[in-house]
Amino acid sequence: MADRYNKLCPVGRAMNVIGDDWTIMILRDLFNNETCKFQELMDSLEGPSPTTISNRLKWLEEQGIIEKNLYSNHPPRAAYTLTGKGKSLGPIVLEMKKWGENNP
């Protein structure tokens, strides 16, 4: 995914990593469940295509936000967990949750 925002701006850098459609919702699920399988994310999100979710997961992995752990080789199946860098996004996700609760 190409950078859409100014890399010199700290908010822009953050948006380049977590500002795409569905990314925050993937993070929400990982904070709620610690580990998520691909199908669990698809069932929870109810909307994006498998390709969109796959692309977001790859991007988050490339950025060091999540890690992929294979639990089956045939067929290949993976579960995703937050890294330390990913866990550091917790306050952002929590504040978004609070804001959403207070502004229905």
Side-chain angles (χ1 to χ4, degrees):
M1 288 184 239
D3 290 340
R4 298 188 308 181
Y5 303 99
N6 185 338
K7 288 193 248 181
L8 299 177
C9 170
V11 173
R13 284 194 303 274
M15 288 296 293
N16 284 330
V17 175
I18 63 171
D20 285 327
D21 294 346
W22 301 107
T23 301
I24 288 291
M25 301 307 284
I26 290 170
L27 293 173
R28 174 209 61 189
D29 284 358
L30 287 167
F31 277 107
N32 286 336
N33 301 302
E34 276 190 47
T35 299
C36 290
K37 297 176 182 175
F38 185 85
Q39 190 59 51
E40 292 170 337
L41 290 167
M42 288 299 302
D43 293 344
S44 173
L45 298 174
E46 297 180 8
S49 71
T51 301
T52 297
I53 296 305
S54 180
N55 289 341
R56 296 308 177 269
L57 291 169
K58 286 177 189 171
W59 174 250
L60 289 169
E61 187 178 8
E62 289 170 7
Q63 299 304 306
I65 303 298
I66 64 171
E67 62 184 12
K68 177 168 82 171
N69 303 295
L70 289 177
Y71 65 88
S72 172
N73 289 325
H74 300 288
R77 304 243 187 245
Y80 300 88
T81 58
L82 292 164
T83 62
K85 184 177 178 181
K87 289 177 184 175
S88 72
L89 291 165
I92 294 169
V93 176
L94 181 59
E95 287 302 317
M96 290 178 77
K97 177 183 181 232
K98 287 179 187 176
W99 188 90
E101 290 170 343
N102 292 323
N103 296 281

